[in-house]
C-alpha cells in the first residue's frame, strides 16, 4: 500500500514496513545484466574491478541470463541490427526490472548520427537512469546504481510503468 | 619505376591503364576483365610473391564515369613490398570477378564491398550482406545514400 | 510368472537417429564479448561447421568520417579498437601526415612510441584477462585490471580522458607531456605491470588445467594463416615472423632493441604466450624510449597544420582567422590516396585514405586487424568442441568496434 507524500519538493511514495523491507533487500542485491556492446563495456569492467568496486553497493553478481537479472545495464552503441536483440532481452527479463542507459550512444545515439545507429535506446525500451559521458567514468556507473537504489527505496514508479510514452 | 609496376606492365601491357607511386605507394590502375589473372600473377611470380591480400575496398566517385573503383592492397612477406591495384567499374554494371580463388582470405572483404557499395563479385561463394542486417535496403556507403537516414525499428506499438 | 527376458547390453546406437544440431551462439552472450554471433552445426559437442556473423556494432565510421573534417575524425578513431585507443589515433595521424608529406618532430615520434606501447600492454591485458574469464579463471582478470587502472591514470593525466583519448593531431599531438609524466610511466612499468604479468604467469603458464584447455586448441598452420590474411600475434603464434615494427619500421622503432615473439603451433596456448612475451618486450621499448626522449616542441612549426597558440589567437587577428578556418573548415590536405599501416596490438591496422583536397576526407577505409582473424575462426575450430571455440575466440581478441567499424 503506497501513500503519496512530498519530501524536499520531490514526489515520492511512503511504503509500508513490509514493502520497505522488501525494497531494502532488493536494492542491495541488484543483479545487473551488462548488455555491453562497445567502449562503455570496458568502463563497466572497470567499475566491477577492484579500484571502483561496484560490489560495495551490492550489485556484484553479474548475470548473463535475462531471466536471472534485475537491472539491464545497456553500455554501448545500439544499432538497428542489435535493436531487436536488445528488445528481446528486455522482454525476457522478469518484473520488476530497471534499465540503465550508459553512455552517450545508448542515451541518444552519441555522436553517431547516421543510417545505422539507433538514436537512443529509449526508442525501444523504457529507461530509468541515463548516464551521460563518452564513456562515463566508472564512478558514473556507481552513481546510476545508487539512483536505482533510491528509486527502489522510495517506491517511485519505474520507467516501465510509464511506458510506452504517449 | 618500381620493379612491381615494371613487371606488371611487361606482363599485362594492354590491361594496365596507368601507374603511379605517389606518396611512396606503388599503384596500378588496371582493366577489370583479367583481374583474376593479374592478381594470380602478382601472387605467384617469383620476383613479386604477394602472398597477403591485406585489404579490398570500394570507392564511390560519384559524378565520374566509371563510378566505382575496387581497390586491392597486397603485401609480400618475402620481399616486404606493398602494391595497390585498382579497377574501375561503371555504374550500370558494377561487376568484377571474385579474387577468392587467389586468396581465400579476401572473401569477407568482397562481401563488405557488396554490402556497402553494391559491387557484385562474380563467382563469389556467398555474396550476402555482412555488416548491415539482411533486410536492409540500399548500399549505405554510396555517396547518394543520405548519412542520417533512419531505419524502421521495432517499437512499443508493434 | 513371466519368462525371464534376456537383456542385451546396448552396444553402440544402431537405432538412434543422429542429426547435426544447429544452434545459435550470441549475439548477446558473455563469451562472445557481446555483438558476435555464430551459427554452429554440431554433432554432440563437436563443431561440424561454423558460420560467424557480425555487424552488430556497425556504427558507420566511414560515413561519419566523410562528413567530418580531418581533425574531427580523430575521436571516431578512438572508438575503433577501444581497448588501445591511442594506437588508432597514432595510426590515423600517421596516414594523414604521409598524405600531407610532413615529418613530425623527434619528440613527437618518441611520445607516439611510448603511448603505442602502453596501449599494446593494456590491450594484451584485456585479451588475456577476458580469455581467462571465459575459461573460468576469473582471478587473472582482476589481476590485470589493477595495472590497467594505473595506466589509465597516466593516460588521464596526459590527455584528460581514460578511454577515448583523441590525443594525436595532424602534425603533432593535443598537448605536450605533463611535468614528471615519464617518471610516473617508468614507475608503473617497473612496478605494477611486471608484477602483475609475473602473477598471472605464475597462475597460468604451468597450470595443468590451463594447458589442457589451451594446448592444441584452435591450431593453424603458417601457410593457412598467411592465405587467410592473419597478422599480428595470431600470425606470429603460427610461426610467421611478420612484425611491422621490424619489417617496415615507422616512427623510431628502428632505434630500439626488442625481440619479436614467434610461436610454433598457432594454437591458443601459443597465442597466450606470444601476448605475454610481447608485453615484456613493450616494457623494454618503453624503457629505451623514455631514456632517449629528446626535448623540443611536440608539434611541428607549420601554420598550415597546427592551431596557433591561444595567446596569439587572443591578440593577433591573423592567428584568430587561422584558428577559425582550422576549426570550421579543417586542415587543408593535398589530394591523393595513401595507405599507411602500423602494428597495432592485434595486427596490421591499415588506413586507406582518399583525399580530394579540402578540409575533410573523401574516403577513409580502416583495415581492421581482427577482420581476417574473425573470418578464420571456422578454420581454427572445425572439428573441435564448443568449449574450444570459446577458448579460441577469446585468444584471437576480436574487438567489435574495430571489426564492425
Amino acid at each position: 500500500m503506497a501513500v503519496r507524500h512530498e519530501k524536499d519538493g520531490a514526489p515520492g511514495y511512503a511504503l509500508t514496513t513490509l514493502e520497505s523491507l522488501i525494497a531494502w533487500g532488493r536494492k542491495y542485491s541488484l543483479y545487473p545484466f551488462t548488455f555491453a556492446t562497445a567502449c562503455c563495456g570496458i568502463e563497466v569492467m572497470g567499475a566491477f574491478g577492484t579500484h571502483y568496486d561496484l560490489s560495495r553497493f551490492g550489485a556484484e553478481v553479474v548475470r548473463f541470463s535475462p531471466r536471472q537479472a534485475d537491472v539491464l545495464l545497456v553500455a554501448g552503441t545500439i544499432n538497428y541490427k542489435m535493436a531487436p536483440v536488445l528488445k528481446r532481452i528486455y522482454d525476457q527479463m522478469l518484473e520488476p526490472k530497471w534499465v540503465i542507459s550508459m553512455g552517450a550512444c545508448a542515451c541518444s545515439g552519441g555522436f553517431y548520427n547516421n543510417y545505422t545507429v539507433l538514436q537512443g535506446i529509449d526508442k525501444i525500451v523504457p529507461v530509468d537512469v541515463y548516464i551521460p559521458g563518452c564513456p562515463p567514468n566508472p564512478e558514473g556507473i556507481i552513481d546510476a546504481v545508487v539512483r536505482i537504489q533510491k528509486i527502489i527505496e522510495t517506491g517511485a514508479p519505474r520507467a516501465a510503468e510509464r511506458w510506452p510514452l504517449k | 619505376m618500381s620493379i612491381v609496376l615494371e613487371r606488371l606492365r611487361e606482363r599485362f601491357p594492354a590491361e594496365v591503364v596507368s601507374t603511379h607511386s605517389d606518396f611512396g605507394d606503388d599503384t596500378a590502375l588496371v582493366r577489370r576483365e583479367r583481374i583474376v589473372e593479374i592478381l594470380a600473377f602478382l601472387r605467384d611470380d617469383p620476383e613479386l610473391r604477394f602472398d597477403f591480400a591485406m585489404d579490398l575496398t570500394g570507392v564511390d566517385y560519384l559524378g565520374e564515369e566509371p563510378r566505382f573503383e575496387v581497390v586491392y592492397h597486397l603485401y609480400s612477406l618475402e620481399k616486404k613490398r606493398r602494391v595497390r591495384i585498382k579497377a574501375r567499374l561503371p555504374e550500370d554494371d558494377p561487376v568484377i570477378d571474385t579474387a577468392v580463388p587467389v586468396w581465400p582470405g579476401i572473401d569477407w572483404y568482397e562481401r563488405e564491398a557488396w554490402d556497402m557499395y553494391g559491387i557484385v563479385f562474380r563467382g563469389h561463394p556467398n555474396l550476402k550482406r555482412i555488416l548491415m542486417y539482411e533486410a536492409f535496403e540500399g548500399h549505405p556507403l554510396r555517396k547518394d545514400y543520405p548519412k542520417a537516414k533512419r531505419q524502421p525499428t521495432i517499437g512499443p506499438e508493434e | 510368472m513371466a519368462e525371464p527376458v534376456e537383456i542385451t547390453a546396448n552396444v553402440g546406437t544402431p537405432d538412434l537417429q543422429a542429426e547435426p544440431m544447429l544452434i545459435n551462439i550470441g549475439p548477446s552472450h558473455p563469451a562472445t564479448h557481446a555483438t558476435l554471433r555464430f551459427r554452429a552445426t554440431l554433432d554432440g559437442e563437436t563443431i561440424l561447421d561454423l558460420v560467424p556473423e557480425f555487424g552488430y556494432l556497425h556504427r558507420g565510421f566511414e560515413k561519419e568520417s566523410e562528413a567530418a573534417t580531418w581533425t574531427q575524425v580523430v575521436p571516431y578513431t578512438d572508438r575503433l579498437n577501444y581497448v588501445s585507443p591511442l594506437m588508432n589515433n597514432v595510426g590515423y595521424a600517421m596516414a594523414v601526415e604521409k598524405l600531407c608529406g610532413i615529418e613530425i618532430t623527434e619528440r613527437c615520434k618518441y611520445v607516439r612510441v611510448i603511448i603505442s606501447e602502453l596501449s599494446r600492454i593494456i590491450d594484451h591485458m584485456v585479451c588475456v584477462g577476458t580469455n581467462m574469464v571465459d575459461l573460468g579463471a576469473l582471478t587473472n582478470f582482476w589481476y590485470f585490471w589493477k595495472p590497467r587502472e594505473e595506466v589509465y591514470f597516466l593516460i588521464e593525466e596526459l590527455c584528460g580522458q581514460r578511454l577515448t583519448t583523441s590525443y594525436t593531431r595532424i602534425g603533432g599531438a593535443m598537448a605536450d607531456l605533463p611535468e614528471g609524466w615519464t617518471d610516473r610511466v617508468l614507475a608503473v612499468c617497473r612496478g605494477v605491470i611486471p608484477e602483475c604479468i609475473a602473477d598471472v604467469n605464475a597462475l597460468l603458464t604451468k597450470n595443468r588445467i590451463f594447458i589442457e584447455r589451451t594446448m592444441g586448441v584452435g591450431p593453424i598452420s603458417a601457410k593457412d594463416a598467411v592465405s587467410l590474411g592473419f597478422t599480428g600475434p595470431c600470425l606470429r603464434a603460427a610461426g610467421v615472423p611478420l612484425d611491422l615494427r621490424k619489417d617496415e619500421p615507422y616512427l623510431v622503432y628502428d632505434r630500439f632493441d626488442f625481440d619479436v615473439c614467434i610461436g610454433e603451433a598457432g594454437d591458443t596456448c601459443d597465442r597466450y604466450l606470444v601476448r605475454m612475451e610481447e608485453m615484456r618486450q613493450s616494457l623494454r621499448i618503453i624503457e629505451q624510449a623514455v631514456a632517449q626522449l629528446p626535448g623540443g616542441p611536440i608539434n611541428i612549426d607549420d601554420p598550415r597544420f597546427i592551431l596557433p597558440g591561444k595567446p596569439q589567437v587572443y591578440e593577433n587577428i591573423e592567428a584568430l582567422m587561422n584558428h577559425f578556418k582550422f576549426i570550421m573548415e579543417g586542415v587543408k590536405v593535398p589530394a591523393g590516396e595513401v595507405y599507411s599501416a602500423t602494428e597495432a596490438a592485434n595486427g596490421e591496422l591499415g588506413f586507406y585514405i582518399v583525399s580530394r583536397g579540402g578540409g575533410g576526407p573523401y574516403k577513409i577505409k580502416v583495415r581492421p586487424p581482427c577482420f581476417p582473424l574473425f573470418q578464420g575462426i571456422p578454420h581454427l575450430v572445425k572439428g573441435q568442441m564448443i568449449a574450444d571455440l570459446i577458448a579460441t575466440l577469446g585468444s584471437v581478441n576480436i574487438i567489435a568496434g574495430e571489426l564492425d567499424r
Side-chain angles (χ1 to χ4, degrees):
Chain A
M1 193 168 59
V3 174
R4 196 185 160 87
H5 76 114
E6 298 273 321
K7 181 185 171 189
D8 304 325
Y13 293 83
L15 307 177
T16 59
T17 316
L18 179 63
E19 282 173 359
S20 302
L21 187 65
I22 294 176
W24 174 86
R26 209 169 244 161
K27 79 178 184 186
Y28 284 132
S29 57
L30 288 170
Y31 281 23
F33 181 103
T34 48
F35 196 89
T37 45
C39 349
C40 283
I42 307 296
E43 291 294 45
V44 166
M45 292 185 208
F48 283 104
T50 49
H51 190 88
Y52 291 101
D53 202 6
L54 199 51
S55 66
R56 293 178 284 162
F57 300 91
E60 174 179 30
V61 176
V62 180
R63 283 280 173 253
F64 287 102
S65 166
R67 303 281 185 206
Q68 299 171 2
D70 268 322
V71 179
L72 179 63
L73 173 60
V74 182
T77 321
I78 301 296
N79 62 11
Y80 288 105
K81 196 168 184 180
M82 196 58 160
V85 176
L86 172 62
K87 183 87 174 80
R88 204 154 182 203
I89 297 277
Y90 175 76
D91 288 339
Q92 284 178 348
M93 284 170 72
L94 306 173
E95 297 280 335
K97 54 190 173 184
W98 294 267
V99 177
I100 301 177
S101 163
M102 176 187 171
C105 292
C107 294
S108 67
F111 68 163
Y112 293 104
N113 181 14
N114 56 33
Y115 59 91
T116 179
V117 172
L118 187 66
Q119 301 291 297
I121 61 168
D122 50 11
K123 303 243 184 298
I124 55 173
V125 296
V127 176
D128 289 281
V129 177
Y130 296 85
I131 318 178
C134 190
N137 235 3
E139 290 157 0
I141 304 169
I142 295 176
D143 183 47
V145 168
V146 170
R147 278 174 198 266
I148 297 272
Q149 288 178 343
K150 266 272 160 9
I151 295 175
I152 300 174
E153 178 189 318
T154 56
R158 297 174 289 116
E161 293 163 31
R162 299 192 294 265
W163 180 266
L165 301 168
K166 292 285 180 274
Chain B
M1 193 182 287
S2 83
I3 178 172
V4 181
L5 300 175
E6 263 177 43
R7 296 275 297 158
L8 198 57
R9 268 196 190 277
E10 199 181 293
R11 178 79 173 76
F12 294 97
E15 262 62 35
V16 175
V17 173
S18 68
T19 60
H20 70 78
S21 293
D22 293 345
F23 310 106
D25 293 346
D26 293 331
T27 309
L29 177 63
V30 303
R31 286 190 216 291
R32 60 171 168 161
E33 282 76 26
R34 291 171 71 190
I35 187 78
V36 181
E37 275 185 60
I38 295 175
L39 295 174
F41 165 70
L42 287 168
R43 182 193 63 179
D44 298 328
D45 185 71
E47 290 279 310
L48 303 179
R49 314 277 305 136
F50 282 105
D51 38 9
F52 266 101
M54 276 308 182
D55 192 21
L56 183 159
T57 183
V59 190
D60 181 5
Y61 290 105
L62 183 64
E64 286 177 30
E65 187 50 43
R67 180 176 171 188
F68 295 111
E69 189 172 76
V70 178
V71 183
Y72 300 81
H73 284 94
L74 310 176
Y75 179 70
S76 167
L77 181 63
E78 202 183 300
K79 312 286 180 190
K80 310 234 188 295
R81 270 188 223 123
R82 291 185 188 270
V83 73
R84 182 185 305 137
I85 305 291
K86 312 198 292 184
R88 285 270 180 149
L89 311 175
E91 182 172 352
D92 47 1
D93 180 35
V95 183
I96 189 171
D97 287 324
T98 180
V100 170
V102 184
W103 297 283
I106 214 166
D107 183 331
W108 279 13
Y109 292 102
E110 295 189 343
R111 276 179 70 181
E112 191 188 326
W114 154 247
D115 190 3
M116 294 284 121
Y117 287 99
I119 297 173
V120 177
F121 290 87
R122 190 171 24 216
H124 191 278
N126 185 20
L127 198 65
K128 291 203 307 215
R129 286 199 182 271
I130 196 170
L131 282 175
M132 301 309 299
Y133 55 91
E134 277 186 44
F136 187 83
E137 284 165 15
H139 296 284
L141 278 180
R142 289 191 176 187
K143 292 285 179 182
D144 46 8
Y145 191 95
K147 180 182 93 125
K149 183 159 187 223
R150 303 287 178 240
Q151 314 298 337
T153 49
I154 46 169
E157 280 81 52
E158 290 158 71
Chain C
M1 186 129 152
E3 275 182 309
V5 178
E6 196 184 10
I7 302 172
T8 52
N10 197 8
V11 177
T13 54
D15 297 318
L16 271 180
Q17 245 186 337
E19 266 178 15
M21 180 170 65
L22 180 66
I23 71 165
N24 177 59
I25 306 173
S28 172
H29 190 284
T32 62
H33 308 296
T35 79
L36 304 174
R37 180 181 182 197
F38 295 100
R39 277 182 254 231
T41 312
L42 303 174
D43 173 25
E45 281 247 346
T46 316
I47 297 174
L48 299 176
D49 190 22
L50 193 69
V51 178
E53 190 185 321
F54 59 103
Y56 291 95
L57 195 59
H58 177 59
R59 295 185 275 194
F61 169 83
E62 289 191 39
K63 198 80 178 174
E64 287 286 346
S65 63
E66 287 171 17
T69 66
W70 294 99
T71 317
Q72 284 175 343
V73 176
V74 178
Y76 288 107
T77 60
D78 284 334
R79 281 112 177 129
L80 287 175
N81 182 340
Y82 38 77
V83 290
S84 55
L86 289 162
M87 288 180 115
N88 311 328
N89 295 153
V90 167
Y92 171 71
M94 276 177 52
V96 182
E97 284 154 9
K98 185 174 172 184
L99 191 54
C100 297
I102 57 180
E103 181 83 16
I104 50 174
T105 64
E106 282 292 300
R107 186 174 170 84
C108 191
K109 287 184 189 168
Y110 278 90
V111 168
R112 284 185 183 183
V113 167
I114 296 173
I115 60 181
S116 294
E117 295 305 314
L118 277 175
S119 302
R120 193 185 309 275
I121 293 175
I122 59 180
D123 193 311
H124 287 331
M125 285 184 173
V126 174
C127 173
V128 176
T130 51
N131 190 12
M132 292 305 117
V133 170
D134 295 340
L135 296 184
L138 192 54
T139 315
N140 309 287
F141 183 78
W142 305 130
Y143 274 2
F144 271 146
W145 236 256
K146 185 167 185 306
R148 284 200 94 233
E149 288 294 332
E150 298 291 328
V151 175
Y152 270 174
F153 289 146
L154 294 172
I155 296 177
E156 192 176 21
E157 237 191 288
L158 180 67
C159 52
Q161 248 284 16
R162 288 152 53 99
L163 199 144
T164 47
T165 50
S166 306
Y167 179 64
T168 56
R169 299 284 182 270
I170 300 159
M174 176 192 106
D176 205 340
L177 303 180
E179 197 66 42
W181 191 77
T182 45
D183 298 329
R184 288 189 278 281
V185 168
L186 283 182
V188 169
C189 289
R190 288 176 188 162
V192 184
I193 296 181
E195 274 169 27
C196 285
I197 296 178
D199 281 339
V200 172
N201 198 31
L203 276 178
L204 290 179
T205 312
K206 297 217 171 87
N207 187 328
R208 166 85 184 271
I209 301 176
F210 173 77
I211 295 192
E212 299 258 340
R213 279 300 305 261
T214 58
M215 207 166 247
V217 167
I220 191 163
S221 65
K223 186 163 157 303
D224 286 335
V226 169
S227 74
L228 283 170
F230 279 26
T231 50
C234 296
L235 181 67
R236 291 195 280 277
V240 179
L242 173 60
D243 186 335
L244 289 180
R245 295 174 293 170
K246 290 273 195 203
D247 295 330
E248 291 186 355
Y250 55 96
L251 295 175
V252 284
Y253 277 109
D254 44 0
R255 298 185 203 172
F256 301 126
D257 177 34
F258 63 99
D259 301 322
V260 172
C261 326
I262 314 285
E264 274 179 11
D267 59 8
T268 304
C269 191
D270 277 358
R271 286 189 278 270
Y272 156 80
L273 290 170
V274 165
R275 288 210 159 91
M276 293 296 272
E277 190 54 39
E278 273 190 17
M279 283 199 267
R280 296 188 194 103
Q281 297 301 319
S282 289
L283 290 173
R284 271 176 81 182
I285 299 178
I286 297 177
E287 287 273 346
Q288 293 169 53
V290 170
Q292 296 175 23
L293 183 67
I298 190 120
N299 289 329
I300 56 171
D301 184 20
D302 193 336
R304 294 175 299 154
F305 298 105
I306 301 296
L307 278 178
K310 272 288 189 267
Q312 284 90 44
V313 171
Y314 281 127
E315 291 175 8
N316 191 341
I317 189 69
E318 275 93 22
L320 178 69
M321 295 194 306
N322 198 8
H323 188 276
F324 181 80
K325 292 203 82 135
F326 268 145
I327 303 292
M328 297 306 288
E329 291 172 17
V331 170
K332 297 283 181 295
V333 166
E337 56 187 354
V338 78
Y339 179 81
S340 159
T342 55
E343 182 74 24
N346 241 356
E348 174 176 322
L349 175 67
F351 282 90
Y352 171 58
I353 300 187
V354 176
S355 161
R356 283 238 176 128
Y362 188 73
K363 179 191 164 80
I364 301 186
K365 166 83 169 43
V366 178
R367 188 258 178 204
C370 18
F371 199 79
L373 299 179
F374 197 50
Q375 194 183 196
I377 293 249
H379 195 99
L380 293 175
V381 296
K382 202 163 276 195
Q384 307 210 307
M385 294 195 270
I386 292 269
D388 299 331
L389 164 67
I390 303 299
T392 310
L393 182 62
S395 74
V396 166
N397 198 24
I398 305 294
I399 308 282
E402 174 174 74
L403 178 68
D404 295 346
R405 284 151 284 132

